Amino acid sequence: MTEIQKLEEIEAITRSVGWGAAKILSEYYRGEGDLNVNEDKKDGPVTAADLAANRYILEKLQAVFPEDTFGYLSEETHEGTEPINKEWVWIIDPLDGTRDFIDKTGEYALHIALAYQGRPMVSVVAIPEAQKIYYASKGNGTFVETPDGTITPIKVSERNQLEDLYLVVSRTHRDDRFQALIEALPLKDRIYMGSVGGKISTLLEKTSDIYISLSGKSAAKDWDFAAPELILTEAGGQFTHENGDPLIYNRGDVRQWGCLIASNGHCHEALCAEATQILAKIDNK
């Protein structure tokens, strides 16, 4: 069995777990359970839906992928600042976009990724309200699956001029520095979407071409990016730090500091260079 075949088998199991967890989230979203919202959590609100989906994912994965071989890094169970001492680590966000979930925008997602030595190898991003799962394994491309079992390969857009590209951003959560950056970029337009998984899905659906994360007082975490990164890169896109360095996961500090750029790949280097110059001007004012 080749490495790709092994990854495809893991991918199939992960897709099944993703559908099950997405069903749990949808049931809570439709009011079939008390959300028990905790607004006091340091990194944002947490709900009973987060916890129920997390329990389901861990139970299903750990039954197949034992903890003596596989590590587990989940938003709802993460503690400490040391890397997990395993080569293979599951990185899980059971509910990406909890605020959108609570506010009933529908723009929430579910992320499950399996990383090897800090890089994602298998990935599932579920968008429950769109009834879609995007999935990928390293070297095997990206696909989208619907509840009837239809599976379709999916690729990013072919737009290849900065001035023709669409940026996807949140409606809120932008400090002045980030706002100045996106206003200075010479792009076509912006579209708005909630969760990171939802944003990256718009690149796959060709309604956008660029997503940017810029840390301020806080930063996005490993579980925000690990699964979305792989579904984007296997669909032909790129996802790097602004200097071109790859994202590394399970380093101990789960925060991904700095400027990170995801794109359809066609103008990635030019986009990174442009963002670097703009941020230098903003920071020197």
Side-chain angles (χ1 to χ4, degrees):
M1 182 182 291
T2 67
E3 187 66 30
I4 284 180
Q5 285 173 318
K6 290 178 184 176
L7 291 177
E8 285 179 324
E9 288 187 3
I10 296 172
E11 176 188 82
I13 295 167
T14 311
R15 275 163 48 210
S16 175
V17 174
W19 279 118
K23 182 174 184 288
I24 290 170
L25 293 178
S26 286
E27 288 170 351
Y28 274 97
Y29 188 78
R30 285 163 174 70
E32 298 174 28
D34 187 348
L35 274 184
N36 292 321
V37 180
N38 177 3
E39 295 277 6
D40 297 326
K41 189 170 179 280
K42 183 178 70 172
D43 294 324
V46 64
T47 71
D50 297 70
L51 300 176
N54 192 68
R55 281 194 302 271
Y56 175 88
I57 293 166
L58 291 178
E59 176 186 309
K60 294 296 183 182
L61 290 180
Q62 287 170 354
V64 184
F65 306 103
E67 290 181 86
D68 58 353
T69 304
F70 293 84
Y72 287 84
L73 177 59
S74 167
E75 178 176 17
E76 305 310 332
T77 58
H78 169 68
E79 294 179 357
T81 57
E82 293 298 316
I84 295 172
N85 189 26
K86 296 283 192 297
E87 288 195 312
W88 292 93
V89 176
W90 289 96
I91 302 175
I92 301 160
D93 190 344
L95 177 47
D96 176 47
T98 302
R99 177 53 63 192
D100 286 279
F101 185 89
I102 295 168
D103 293 344
K104 292 289 195 282
T105 70
E107 297 173 359
Y108 66 93
L110 160 74
H111 302 169
I112 307 174
L114 177 60
Y116 177 69
Q117 295 182 345
R119 297 290 299 138
M121 302 298 286
V122 173
S123 152
V124 162
V125 172
I127 314 290
E129 299 314 305
Q131 295 194 303
K132 290 182 177 180
I133 276 187
Y134 301 90
Y135 67 92
S137 56
K138 187 71 174 175
N140 196 43
T142 298
F143 300 83
V144 58
E145 183 177 25
T146 51
D148 63 2
T150 300
I151 292 173
T152 308
I154 195 164
K155 290 283 189 181
V156 293
S157 77
E158 293 295 329
R159 290 184 285 267
N160 59 12
Q161 301 294 323
L162 281 181
E163 59 270 20
D164 293 333
L165 303 185
Y166 291 82
L167 173 71
V168 60
V169 293
S170 299
R171 293 175 182 83
T172 55
H173 305 305
R174 293 193 298 276
D175 61 18
D176 291 344
R177 185 169 178 255
F178 191 17
Q179 188 66 31
L181 169 62
I182 64 176
E183 287 178 356
L185 286 167
L187 306 175
K188 178 81 169 180
D189 206 352
R190 292 177 228 163
I191 68 167
Y192 299 93
M193 174 62 69
S195 63
V196 177
K199 291 181 179 73
I200 297 302
S201 78
T202 67
L203 275 80
L204 301 185
E205 297 290 350
K206 302 180 179 62
T207 55
S208 79
D209 310 286
I210 302 167
Y211 162 68
I212 298 174
S213 171
L214 183 65
S215 60
K217 293 180 180 178
S218 63
K221 313 294 193 303
D222 281 3
W223 44 77
D224 294 312
F225 294 147
E229 179 192 342
L230 191 63
I231 63 166
L232 175 64
T233 56
E234 283 295 316
Q238 291 185 251
F239 200 152
T240 69
H241 290 272
E242 63 171 300
N243 64 1
D245 286 349
L247 283 70
I248 304 297
Y249 302 101
N250 186 36
R251 297 164 301 132
D253 182 358
V254 297
R255 295 168 292 183
Q256 293 283 349
W257 294 103
C259 180
L260 290 81
I261 297 178
S263 79
N264 68 1
H266 299 302
C267 307
H268 195 80
E269 291 76 15
L271 181 63
C272 288
E274 188 82 22
T276 299
Q277 291 178 1
I278 292 168
L279 287 171
K281 288 178 182 176
I282 292 169
D283 294 340
N284 286 331
K285 281 186 178 179

